[in-house]
Amino acid sequence: MNFRSLRFRITAWYAGLLAGALLIFGISVYLGLERYLYGDLQRSLGRDCRTIANQLLSQRPFKRPDWLNTEIEEAYSPELNNHFIRVIQDGVGVVYLSSPPKDGTFDPAQVPLPIGDEKNGARKASLSTGRLLVDTVQYAAKDGARFTVESGVLYRQVEVVLHGLLVTFAVYMPFIISLAIVSGYWLMRRSLQPVDEITERAEGITSTNLSERLPVIRTGDELERLSKALNHMIERLDGAFQHVHRFSADASHELRTPLTILQLELEGIAQNNLLTSSLADQIGSALEETHRMSHIVENLLVISRFDAGEAKMNLSRLDLGTLAASTAEQMRLLADEKGILFRTSVTGNVYVEGDRPRLQQVIVNLVANAVNYTPEAGEVEVIVRSNGRKALLEVADTGVGISDEALPHVFERFYRADKARSRDSGGAGLGLAIVKAICTAHGAEIRVSSHEGRGSRFTVELPLARVTENTLDQSALRTH
Ligand code: ADP
């Protein structure tokens, strides 16, 4: 789980706030209920005291000596109700004391006599078996006798209810919080799903497919605004890229004609017999640079057209093996001249949908580089095979290799790892950029692996053309 993800953070906040709210709610309910229960109990004890005083003690002198006892026992059954009742007459002492309750939870004789302020109001009496809430009322009879009436019950009555509430909270709160976490996480997942989709699509958009757009979520919320805003941004980028591509294409195109004229003029001058030898050398060198410049402009024009989507592709079904074998054969001389061992290992019947001259150019550029950057007595190999899903064209050499720093840049325009060597061989750093552009236009991928000083391997992975009956003949392996 990603702890930094929005999904996790919002769910954690949500669960934390909910837990906090539930805790405050629980504490308030607990304290409120505690107050209410004690208040209610105290009121009911006070009522008992007043009833005993006003209805029983007021009837002095009593008909019988045990009349008060009988009346209280009958009215309140303290023994059965775990009720403590005591009546004290000033100057006489305790005139009534309830019997110990049946369950023996406390002993009424142990309850200390009220002193001072305790004679009027509620108090807490601590016994060895528990605490008792006792309310006390003073009563003065008509005959001048003064009484203290006490009524009490065990705190446990209230504590049992409060404990029950605590247990309920302890059981249900974690359950509610867990439920909130699970449902919150699920809800977040659901509502952030479109963000994942947008991210995935946005990651796939590069300078080569700026015409694609992100999915717009029609929810009318911030996400819809975000996806629309991103799409507008991609649209503007697309426009800017188109502009740059058009500019490069137009500039290369416009440079072509003056360069051709310049070349022709220089060739005309070079043929003039009246030139001194030093002037002829200078013209020759200028002509050479003009050739190089024309070559660069031509290559730039090809790349710009691919970028601007203007390159015309004549797609046809062709056997990559046959194409590679014949193209490589035409280049064998180049390798022979340098004393390089040149091999082709080509499987026939590897059919692809492609533009023949363009794919030929891919092979030419890769093989030319391999020969260029491989010293004498090295080896260059061209391989065509199929891995069942893709057609693979590999050009491997045992040459100088490419350093780890240079490797990620070799397909960039005008990038040359070794400027001096590349310029000597006439390269301007556009060969691999063209290869890449052609591969992209064919939906192909190009990879390179290389070890400095040990050689390089370029691999082009093209989608295989759909198989038809006449291509199902036995594949032939030709090794030269
Ligand atoms: P260039 O025209 O300079 O060869 P490329 O675009 O064809 O330009 O290649 C770019 C750079 O990649 C080259 O300058 C060279 O440093 C490196 N490179 C390409 N192919 C090879 C290879 N087979 N072996 C070593 N380096 C290579």
Side-chain angles (χ1 to χ4, degrees), residues 369-370 373 397 400-402 410 415-418 422 427-432 456 458:
N369 275 350
Y373 298 105
D397 63 62
V400 294
I402 305 165
V410 288
Y415 183 84
R416 289 171 299 173
D418 183 345
S422 174
L430 288 174
L432 288 182
S456 318
F458 287 82

Side-chain angles (χ1 to χ4, degrees), residues 423-444:
R423 193 176 154 81
D424 286 349
S425 59
L430 288 174
L432 288 182
I434 291 182
V435 169
K436 173 99 182 164
I438 296 176
C439 287
T440 309
H442 279 85

Side-chain angles (χ1 to χ4, degrees), residues 365-379:
N365 287 10
L366 291 179
V367 173
N369 275 350
V371 172
N372 248 337
Y373 298 105
T374 301
E376 262 173 48
E379 286 177 28

Side-chain angles (χ1 to χ4, degrees), residues 280-300:
D281 282 352
Q282 280 173 337
I283 297 287
S285 147
L287 199 54
E288 206 176 292
E289 289 304 317
T290 321
H291 278 302
R292 193 199 289 273
M293 216 192 304
S294 298
H295 186 61
I296 293 174
V297 167
E298 282 303 327
N299 283 341
L300 259 186

Side-chain angles (χ1 to χ4, degrees), residues 340-354:
I340 290 173
L341 178 64
F342 190 72
R343 284 185 300 175
T344 53
S345 172
V346 170
T347 312
N349 290 342
V350 179
Y351 285 93
V352 295
E353 287 283 338

